Amino acid sequence: MKIEIDQLKCVGAGQCVMAAEDVFDQRDEDGIVVLLEAEPDDSHAPDVRTAAALCPAAAITVHE
Amino acid sequence: MSPQDVVVVGAGAAGLGTVEALRREGCTARVTIIGDENDLPYDRPPLSKGYLSGAWDEARLQLRPRETLAELGATWKLGHSAVSLDREAREVRLEDGSTVHYDALVIATGVRSRRLPGTEGISGLHTMRTRADADRLREEMRSGARLLVGGGGFLGSETAASARTLGCEVTLISRRPAPLGDVLGDEVAGMLAALHRERGVDLEQGSVDAVTTADGHVTGVRLADGRELPGDMALLAIGSIPNVEWLRDSGLTLDDGVVCDASGLAAPGVWAVGDVAAWHDPGAERPVRLEHRTRASEHGISVARSILGAGGPLPSVPYVWSDQYEYTVQIHGSPRGADRFAIIDGSLEERGFTAVYGRDDRVCAAVGVNMVRPLRALRRLVAQRAPWEAVAAAQPQL
């Protein structure tokens, strides 16, 4: 699994961090998404998919 | 027993979210998506924010690239409205007279802007719900022209901020002394009102009763107290109406939206998601309809699982955000009707803070302005409906 994020689309909702906190974080200053792990192992896959689905800005793309 | 034919009426975030979740869960049913706009699914929150101000272009509004949508393997019927539902025959009828059969139906028809009676066809009068609405308003917005915004909710406040950023003169009319006062309470709404004033927005208290015109074009609005305010164009942001007329003879329960159980089921084989759906809220013990972008996605995921026979509970903390100027207001939970308020970090004066709201001695919401990460930590208090005494422990300075 490979993850792409679009920081320009991100609105800093933090839904991704709540869904998969080992993979996503937010910048301190504005809450924009930060990718901790671009190619997480399979154990994170369900949470990452949920994060991508919940993102209100559609800023997360998951390549399986 | 998996359905063979899934039909989704509504091609916005909730409808798309449902289809994506179905495919993720391995559903191989035939899927048909019916949408009354011609556009592929796009995102609505930016319409009054970045899209209106010009910071976002059309491509960025798209929820998914065309290729990603193609991978869903769905049949798209865009530019088609559903006009009725026959639950006996399990058919949705479209305006062109054709019918679409379903085993599982997902209603995602959203809401439309409320209008004032008798204002149809007035040029310079706007509502904001679709991309076309935003395009029309932006076309008329020019430096120095005055925009009257009727309605001090999120949509009105955001549009006022975007218009001001573009150099328009702006009058923002809200029923409460401060816009968003009923949602956010006097403290936070007061801070935002001061921000609007500082940026040159004229705030007026009142409610728009009528639009005044000359030669069919807006010249101003008349308020309920009789005052007339002049302007070159007007946006009415006075609430929305669920798109349920097509379901009138369906036998579904309609009461400010499609009434559903706590998993979004409206009737056997029929679910509703997004702005149009009023799901039973176990906490509130009644159906609750929320026009939140994040709820649309949550509904979609939950309903997809229900369709496949494995429903899960909905996250209990609603989330919504609002961009005004360079400030982002984030709201976890429901601050409306709160009787307690406490700042946790930062301050209203700095326009950077987190705060919690309480009702019945329990935490009911956490709100932050430009303090994203500290706010996330407070969400826990909302999810737990923590006793108000727990708030003191969260305040570092006490």
Side-chain angles (χ1 to χ4, degrees):
Chain A
M1 163 178 283
K2 205 171 161 199
I3 306 168
E4 256 181 82
I5 54 170
D6 185 344
Q7 293 185 321
L8 292 174
K9 282 186 103 172
C10 175
V11 294
Q15 302 277 324
C16 54
V17 187
M18 289 182 259
E21 60 181 5
D22 295 334
V23 179
F24 302 100
D25 199 358
Q26 290 175 281
R27 290 201 300 236
D28 267 328
E29 61 274 24
D30 55 8
I32 296 301
V33 63
V34 176
L35 199 50
L36 300 176
E37 190 69 68
E39 297 185 32
D41 62 55
D42 288 351
S43 65
H44 294 295
D47 289 345
V48 168
R49 290 186 200 113
T50 302
L54 285 178
C55 174
I60 301 169
T61 309
V62 177
H63 303 280
E64 300 277 352
Chain B
M1 191 199 61
S2 268
Q4 308 252 300
D5 286 294
V6 177
V7 173
V8 178
V9 185
L16 175 64
T18 310
V19 175
E20 288 186 328
L22 280 169
R23 292 303 194 218
R24 263 200 316 277
E25 305 278 333
C27 171
T28 55
R30 284 184 294 265
V31 172
T32 304
I33 304 169
I34 299 160
D36 64 350
E37 292 177 70
N38 284 310
D39 307 73
L40 287 169
Y42 63 89
D43 212 11
R44 294 186 200 278
L47 292 178
S48 52
K49 307 177 173 96
Y51 186 67
L52 189 63
S53 72
W56 280 43
D57 63 10
E58 203 179 309
R60 220 204 269 187
L61 271 193
Q62 298 304 312
L63 279 169
R64 304 285 177 220
R66 196 173 276 272
E67 315 81 72
T68 310
L69 294 175
E71 286 167 14
L72 292 172
T75 302
W76 297 81
K77 290 181 179 284
L78 298 177
H80 288 275
S81 320
V83 292
S84 65
L85 167 63
D86 182 341
R87 287 203 290 130
E88 197 112 330
R90 296 201 160 219
E91 278 176 354
V92 173
R93 182 172 294 274
L94 307 185
E95 69 196 332
D96 63 5
S98 64
T99 57
V100 185
H101 170 81
Y102 67 85
D103 303 312
L105 173 68
V106 179
I107 297 165
T109 41
V111 299
R112 63 182 181 277
S113 307
R114 200 159 82 76
R115 293 162 190 270
L116 285 178
T119 58
E120 295 78 15
I122 296 177
S123 96
L125 180 63
H126 299 268
T127 53
M128 176 77 76
R129 185 67 204 164
T130 64
R131 202 190 63 177
D133 291 339
D135 288 340
R136 273 191 293 269
L137 179 58
R138 195 161 57 171
E139 191 116 312
E140 282 183 39
M141 293 207 296
R142 58 188 192 280
S143 200
R146 179 166 291 271
L147 172 67
L148 298 161
V149 180
F154 288 112
L155 190 58
S157 299
E158 289 173 0
T159 305
S162 299
R164 200 60 202 116
T165 306
L166 287 171
C168 292
E169 301 295 321
V170 177
T171 306
L172 176 56
I173 304 151
S174 63
R175 274 185 294 188
R176 299 270 303 219
L180 291 170
D182 51 347
V183 185
L184 291 172
D186 293 340
E187 295 89 350
V188 176
M191 183 218 93
L192 291 171
L195 172 64
H196 279 300
R197 278 198 199 95
E198 184 186 294
R199 299 299 162 92
V201 172
D202 295 311
L203 297 181
E204 296 285 349
Q205 187 176 0
S207 60
V208 175
D209 242 12
V211 178
T212 59
T213 60
D215 301 326
H217 191 92
V218 169
T219 57
V221 295
R222 186 158 47 242
L223 306 185
D225 62 13
R227 282 185 298 155
E228 286 191 14
L229 303 174
D232 304 299
M233 55 199 159
L235 171 81
L236 292 179
I238 52 175
S240 47
I241 301 167
N243 292 321
V244 295
E245 287 73 10
W246 68 285
L247 299 167
R248 198 170 285 147
D249 300 320
S250 67
L252 295 177
T253 306
L254 307 174
D255 181 12
D256 185 38
V258 180
V259 175
C260 303
D261 72 6
S263 66
L265 189 69
V270 181
W271 288 263
V273 293
D275 291 355
V276 76
W279 289 26
H280 182 78
D281 181 326
E285 296 177 346
R286 62 183 168 82
V288 171
R289 196 173 65 75
L290 280 181
E291 296 177 17
H292 289 182
R293 172 63 184 81
T294 45
R295 189 104 306 190
S297 298
E298 291 160 358
H299 276 175
I301 293 171
S302 180
V303 161
R305 289 183 183 152
S306 293
I307 290 173
L308 300 173
L314 200 62
S316 57
V317 181
Y319 169 80
V320 69
W321 81 99
S322 176
D323 296 331
Q324 297 175 37
Y325 310 100
E326 67 274 29
Y327 297 91
T328 299
V329 185
Q330 296 186 299
I331 303 169
H332 295 278
S334 310
R336 197 185 284 268
D339 49 25
R340 305 278 196 110
F341 174 80
I343 296 278
I344 304 294
D345 304 293
S347 71
L348 293 166
E349 294 70 36
E350 293 166 79
R351 292 179 183 155
F353 65 88
T354 63
V356 290
Y357 291 68
R359 190 169 47 229
D360 303 328
D361 282 324
R362 299 258 166 195
V363 173
C364 63
V367 173
V369 170
N370 287 19
M371 268 209 183
V372 176
R373 292 187 70 183
L375 182 66
R376 219 175 63 216
L378 296 175
R379 185 179 182 272
R380 189 176 38 86
L381 295 175
V382 185
Q384 295 165 345
R385 296 187 67 243
W388 189 253
E389 298 87 71
V391 169
Q395 286 172 308
Q397 66 272 38
L398 292 182

